[in-house]
Amino acid sequence: MSQVFEGYERQYCELSANLSRKCTSASAADGELKKQRISEIKVGIDEAESLIRKMDMEARSLQPNVKAVLLAKLREYKSDLNNLKSEVKRLSLGNVAARDELLESGMADTLTASADQRTRLVTSTGRLNHSGERIKESRRTMLETEELGVSILQDLHQQRQSLLHTNNTLHGVDDNIGKSKRILTAMSQRMNRNKWIIGSIIAVLIIAVGLILYFKLK
């Protein structure tokens, strides 16, 4: 998840909790003190709106799977801010009759509902944060799997190169064996010719010796 978004989110949650406390305080105040509280709340609401706009811009600049999670959070924050605006609008009605009318129409129920909604908002934020962590973990696993696949491909490429080198070496050995066989064949043929030549020479010498002995003894 974006660290920039998380920074804006922390600021908004702190500001929203502070505004809720000020609304409760303003509802119990009267006169100038109440006007001062309402003025402070309006300034805080402007700041909250600015933070929501910044979170919206940051969320829309991220990847689709992360963006969907963050925009779901923003919808909860916008709903919370609208409730705060409604409370301020009711608090701004200055006379007792208006306050009584609002109370009769369910002002207390609205404040209770807003508190319940903030509780749900915190719970939803926790769930969304957990979902974001699962998304980051899945992404990290995917990257690790991709790195493993690249490593396997590199190993296979190296093995292929080794096999090609071995194949070339075997071809070289076959060529050398063929040459050696041809040399041995030539040597064998030469030795056979030499044997015939030597045999012929010996036969001639034997015949010559025999003739010499024959003529001497005759």
Side-chain angles (χ1 to χ4, degrees):
M1 188 176 295
S2 170
Q3 293 183 353
V4 175
F5 185 93
E6 289 178 350
Y8 292 147
E9 183 181 27
R10 283 194 297 271
Q11 293 179 46
Y12 176 81
C13 290
E14 292 173 0
L15 182 58
S16 176
N18 187 33
L19 291 174
S20 179
R21 288 192 294 270
K22 286 183 178 181
C23 284
T24 303
S25 175
S27 64
D30 291 317
E32 291 300 321
L33 180 60
K34 182 175 183 178
K35 290 181 180 179
Q36 181 181 354
R37 293 281 189 274
I38 292 173
S39 178
E40 291 174 356
I41 293 169
K42 288 180 178 179
V43 172
I45 287 175
D46 291 339
E47 292 179 7
E49 287 181 330
S50 176
L51 287 170
I52 283 180
R53 285 194 297 271
K54 290 177 180 178
M55 284 190 285
D56 185 74
M57 292 177 60
E58 177 65 19
R60 294 181 186 279
S61 67
L62 300 174
Q63 296 177 350
N65 56 344
V66 179
K67 179 172 69 175
V69 174
L70 299 185
L71 290 178
K73 280 188 175 185
L74 275 176
R75 285 192 291 270
E76 294 286 342
Y77 294 152
K78 288 177 181 177
S79 176
D80 174 68
L81 185 59
N82 288 332
N83 287 333
L84 286 172
K85 289 179 180 179
S86 297
E87 291 181 23
V88 172
K89 189 178 294 185
R90 293 183 182 97
L91 289 171
S92 297
L93 298 175
N95 54 64
V96 176
R99 287 202 303 273
D100 291 341
E101 182 180 353
L102 287 171
L103 288 173
E104 290 172 1
S105 65
M107 176 84 175
D109 292 339
T110 301
L111 291 174
T112 302
S114 178
D116 291 340
Q117 187 169 14
R118 284 194 188 86
T119 301
R120 290 195 301 272
L121 177 62
V122 172
T123 303
S124 299
T125 300
R127 287 199 299 267
L128 290 171
N129 284 332
H130 184 62
S131 298
E133 291 298 325
R134 287 204 304 271
I135 290 172
K136 288 196 291 184
E137 183 65 27
S138 299
R139 188 178 180 185
R140 183 163 50 249
T141 302
M142 181 182 67
L143 291 174
E144 290 174 354
T145 303
E146 183 179 354
E147 291 176 356
L148 179 60
V150 171
S151 177
I152 291 173
L153 288 176
Q154 290 176 346
D155 290 340
L156 289 174
H157 178 71
Q158 292 177 355
Q159 292 175 8
R160 181 175 179 273
Q161 294 297 324
S162 298
L163 289 173
L164 290 175
H165 178 70
T166 302
N167 188 37
N168 292 333
T169 303
L170 289 174
H171 281 302
V173 171
D174 288 340
D175 293 339
N176 291 332
I177 290 174
K179 290 179 181 179
S180 299
K181 186 176 181 180
R182 287 193 296 272
I183 291 171
L184 290 173
T185 301
M187 290 176 64
S188 177
Q189 291 174 351
R190 192 175 295 112
M191 288 176 64
N192 289 331
R193 284 197 301 269
N194 290 338
K195 287 179 181 179
W196 282 106
I197 293 171
I198 293 171
S200 299
I201 293 171
I202 292 173
V204 171
L205 289 174
I206 291 172
I207 293 170
V209 171
L211 290 173
I212 291 170
L213 291 174
Y214 173 75
F215 286 112
K216 282 186 177 183
L217 294 175
K218 186 176 177 180

